[in-house]
Amino acid sequence: MSTPPSSTTPDAASHTTDPAPTITPEAMDQSGEAPSSAATGESAARKHRIKNAATGEDTSAYIGAKRSKVRGNIRGADKYKGKRTEPWGPKDTTAAASKGGVGAAASPVNGGGDSGEPVVVIDAPPTSTTETLQEASANNASEDKEDRLPKRKVVLLMGYCGTGYQGMQVNPNAKTIEGELFKAMVQAGAVSKENSDDIKKISMMRSARTDKGVHAAGNVVSLKMIVDIEGIIEKINSFLPEQIRLFGYVRTLNSFNAKTLADSRVYEYLLPTYVFIPKSSQPAGSQPKESSKDETKVETTTDSESTTTDQDKPEVAIRETVPEGSMAWEQRVHISTPEEMTEKRKYRIDEATLARVREGFASYVGTHNFHNFTIGHNFKERTCQRYMMSFNVSDPKMIEGTEWLSLKVHGQSFMLHQIRKMVGLIIMLIRTDTPLSLIPKTFEANKINIPKAPSLGLLLERPMFTTYNRKVQSSHQPIGFESYDKEMEAFKEKYIYEGIIKEELEFNRFDEYLQILDAHAVEYNFAYLNKEGIIPEEAIIKRGDTLATVATESDAEHSD
């Protein structure tokens, strides 16, 4: 076969005089097609420059061939072979060896080949270790995927007693409800090991954040969890303390958020009726004497006596032993004796007083500016506008010798301390016989100091998802506690109501609260408690004024 004439490749300096390259029949491949530009060593851009040179066109401004059809849109991209079809990494030479190709294993002993001639052995690259690692990694990944169960977006319906916890929301180095729940879910397998180190990985969000000491008969938490485990709720409950219970779960839309999609909430407040006893004529501000344990008398000063001698001061019996954590003792005010508390607990609210109580709480219903029922906000802020749908007062109920009322407020949302301050104002108005006409004045611009009632009686009844349930009624199960009413009531009676009653009977929390208010009425600027039902000038808090707040236990109310 004759050797094909070699084509001359013009250099950059003389490309205007060299002829265009030609393809001879001998240079055609076996398929009868001309070799690619890559095979001839010439790019599309160079061939185009040569063509232009042949026609005499000016190529001084030419920067390359048309790029719209060149993959990658860069020079030389015409050499791109397309998507790689072989696996990345060293090639496997086993197949070639089995066919006797290049790189086939041949024994160097005795020459090796069939013809008896020495065989040149070409060492294959050491690929066995790499391939083994790749295969092992692929197998492990496959096994992990098989073992890993899918997460689903759900809401958990739960209840808890907040006593002993630093609130609902998880916090570092704090004992919280969410912290206990997350730990139990990991132990039960509802959260995978990969997600067990960070609660954020399961997108946990609560519908109502309750703070220290506040309970919840029903609360809703949205998250991603593994549900394809038989009896998953019972399994999680087995790792939870008895004062935290899951009632069930509901599958939701993947975009569901328990906080933003809760369109209203219902709170309950348990209140002993003796707080409505008319303000006692007992002198306020009685100081417990610092003396030995065997002394059971305290020196007091009446309101009518500005100065008295020790002989003139009346003696008031106080308790010989004070329960640990007594707020009244810390505030240096009178602490009711067991005999005094027995008399107070005999009080039974009459129909007229109950009617006034119901009328007072009904005054909160509607949209009002509740700037006086929170802290850190002023009258002009729109966030102070809140909508209360209802505020109901139950009939009196006897529990262990004390008469109680259940207050239930249904609101769109609540501000910090709002419920406790609404309860506190009604208590003060009733026991001081202040007209209820004062309540609408608290929605006006004047700022006054309203004390918050104890956190002990407050609990979250349930959040409501009316709008969401209406939108998904044809595709998803509605979110609600109706299916768990019996379980929920039993839990509330055993772990919440009993806890509230026990603490009140042991520490007299509501009586201590009243003793503190009476002792510091002037300091706390309660001049608005009067027979006329007006807010006098001296009761209005001016800009820059500082007032002592009622020294009750730590703040413990939900804020939306």
Side-chain angles (χ1 to χ4, degrees):
M1 177 180 292
S2 60
T3 303
S6 61
S7 59
T8 304
T9 303
D11 54 32
S14 59
H15 68 83
T16 56
T17 59
D18 292 335
T22 58
I23 304 299
T24 63
E26 291 82 355
M28 304 288 279
D29 60 17
Q30 294 180 0
S31 62
E33 297 180 358
S36 65
S37 58
T40 61
E42 299 176 0
S43 67
R46 175 169 290 281
K47 289 198 299 180
H48 199 67
R49 287 197 297 272
I50 295 172
K51 180 179 180 180
N52 288 349
T55 58
E57 296 180 7
D58 182 13
T59 61
S60 59
Y62 181 70
I63 60 173
K66 186 176 181 181
R67 299 183 180 187
S68 60
K69 295 183 179 180
V70 178
R71 187 180 183 93
N73 201 27
I74 57 175
R75 291 179 182 273
D78 55 324
K79 298 179 182 180
Y80 182 70
K81 297 292 185 180
K83 184 177 181 180
R84 184 180 180 90
T85 57
E86 300 176 358
W88 295 97
K91 293 183 179 180
D92 188 0
T93 59
T94 305
S98 63
K99 295 180 180 180
V102 177
S107 173
V109 181
N110 299 327
D114 292 337
S115 61
E117 298 179 355
V119 177
V120 179
V121 178
I122 302 176
D123 294 334
T127 61
S128 59
T129 302
T130 304
E131 291 173 0
T132 302
L133 292 176
Q134 289 177 345
E135 292 177 0
S137 177
N139 292 336
N140 290 337
S142 177
E143 291 176 1
D144 289 344
K145 289 182 179 179
E146 292 176 358
D147 296 337
R148 188 180 303 167
L149 297 174
K151 294 185 295 184
R152 306 297 183 192
K153 192 63 176 285
V154 302
V155 295
L156 293 176
L157 308 178
M158 65 183 301
Y160 53 84
C161 173
T163 302
Y165 289 91
Q166 301 295 314
M168 170 68 176
Q169 188 172 0
V170 65
N171 276 314
N173 304 319
K175 185 180 179 182
T176 64
I177 303 296
E178 283 186 351
E180 293 279 7
L181 175 61
F182 183 68
K183 183 172 65 175
M185 292 176 64
V186 172
Q187 293 174 311
V191 175
S192 63
K193 293 182 179 179
E194 291 78 7
N195 297 332
S196 63
D197 59 339
D198 188 358
I199 196 172
K200 295 179 181 178
K201 292 182 178 180
I202 62 173
S203 305
M204 182 178 286
M205 181 61 65
R206 81 293 315 163
S207 62
R209 179 184 62 83
T210 55
D211 288 342
K212 180 182 177 181
V214 178
H215 321 295
N219 202 352
V220 170
V221 176
S222 62
L223 47 81
K224 295 178 181 178
M225 63 174 276
I226 298 170
V227 297
D228 298 332
I229 300 176
E230 185 177 355
I232 185 61
I233 295 299
E234 291 75 13
K235 198 170 182 180
I236 296 174
N237 277 333
S238 67
F239 294 104
L240 284 172
E242 290 186 352
Q243 66 188 88
I244 304 175
R245 289 291 93 180
L246 297 183
F247 304 124
Y249 75 88
V250 178
R251 286 286 304 274
T252 67
L253 297 175
N254 289 334
S255 60
F256 183 85
N257 184 301
K259 180 180 179 180
T260 59
L261 293 179
D263 44 25
S264 64
R265 297 163 180 86
V266 179
Y267 276 85
E268 182 177 8
Y269 195 97
L270 291 184
L271 189 67
T273 60
Y274 74 77
V275 299
F276 298 118
I277 297 175
K279 187 175 180 180
S280 174
S281 59
Q282 179 182 342
S286 301
Q287 300 294 322
K289 184 172 65 174
E290 297 180 1
S291 58
S292 60
K293 294 182 180 180
D294 59 343
E295 293 184 316
T296 60
K297 305 294 182 181
V298 64
E299 297 176 346
T300 62
T301 301
T302 62
D303 293 335
S304 60
E305 295 175 323
S306 58
T307 59
T308 61
T309 64
D310 292 341
Q311 292 79 11
D312 296 331
K313 293 179 181 179
E315 295 181 350
V316 178
I318 64 169
R319 298 167 66 173
E320 296 183 24
T321 58
V322 180
E324 183 179 355
S326 170
M327 297 179 297
W329 181 263
E330 294 172 357
Q331 288 293 305
R332 311 290 293 172
V333 300
H334 175 74
I335 300 176
S336 297
T337 65
E339 293 75 19
E340 289 173 336
M341 286 309 304
T342 299
E343 290 300 317
K344 291 180 180 181
R345 295 189 187 281
K346 290 180 180 179
Y347 174 81
R348 303 294 179 260
I349 192 169
D350 57 74
E351 290 295 331
T353 303
L354 181 59
R356 287 197 68 208
V357 171
R358 286 172 170 163
E359 181 184 353
F361 283 113
S363 301
Y364 294 128
V365 175
T367 301
H368 303 290
N369 190 313
F370 287 94
H371 73 104
N372 273 317
F373 296 85
T374 187
I375 57 175
H377 295 283
N378 59 59
F379 176 75
K380 295 182 179 180
E381 296 182 43
R382 293 194 61 184
T383 187
C384 296
Q385 295 284 341
R386 299 294 168 124
Y387 175 48
M388 300 297 110
M389 302 174 185
S390 64
F391 211 137
N392 300 318
V393 180
S394 72
D395 292 330
K397 181 179 181 180
M398 288 296 300
I399 304 176
E400 295 192 28
T402 302
E403 188 179 61
W404 293 79
L405 294 177
S406 171
L407 319 174
K408 288 192 178 182
V409 55
H410 184 189
Q412 193 173 56
S413 60
F414 300 88
M415 295 189 294
L416 183 66
H417 306 325
Q418 181 182 339
I419 298 174
R420 292 170 61 191
K421 281 178 174 282
M422 289 193 292
V423 174
L425 180 62
I426 298 299
I427 292 174
M428 293 196 303
L429 295 183
I430 299 299
R431 68 192 301 264
T432 60
D433 200 26
T434 300
L436 298 179
S437 58
L438 178 76
I439 298 176
K441 295 181 175 64
T442 63
F443 305 140
E444 298 174 359
N446 289 332
K447 189 75 174 178
I448 62 174
N449 184 33
I450 299 177
K452 54 185 180 292
S455 66
L456 176 64
L458 181 64
L459 63 135
L460 172 65
E461 175 73 17
R462 67 185 68 194
M464 309 289 283
F465 298 88
T466 308
T467 303
Y468 170 82
N469 289 341
R470 184 171 59 248
K471 289 183 178 180
V472 301
Q473 59 183 346
S474 60
S475 59
H476 287 76
Q477 181 182 349
I479 300 174
F481 290 86
E482 291 75 16
S483 301
Y484 307 100
D485 277 341
K486 291 184 178 180
E487 299 176 49
M488 184 173 164
E489 285 298 321
F491 176 82
K492 185 165 60 173
E493 288 284 346
K494 183 176 181 179
Y495 294 100
I496 299 180
Y497 286 171
E498 287 188 9
I500 293 174
I501 303 303
K502 181 180 179 181
E503 184 170 350
E504 162 58 22
L505 293 177
E506 182 177 356
F507 294 100
N508 302 322
R509 292 303 192 194
F510 287 91
D511 181 68
E512 289 183 338
Y513 166 74
L514 297 177
Q515 296 292 347
I516 294 171
L517 292 186
D518 293 344
H520 299 283
V522 176
E523 179 184 352
Y524 297 147
N525 204 357
F526 295 153
Y528 57 84
L529 300 175
N530 52 68
K531 302 294 184 180
E532 293 76 24
I534 61 173
I535 299 178
E537 187 68 23
E538 59 267 26
I540 299 175
I541 302 175
K542 307 297 191 301
R543 189 178 183 85
D545 286 352
T546 57
L547 282 176
T549 56
V550 179
T552 58
E553 69 280 3
S554 302
D555 295 342
E557 185 174 332
H558 161 72
S559 174
D560 294 318

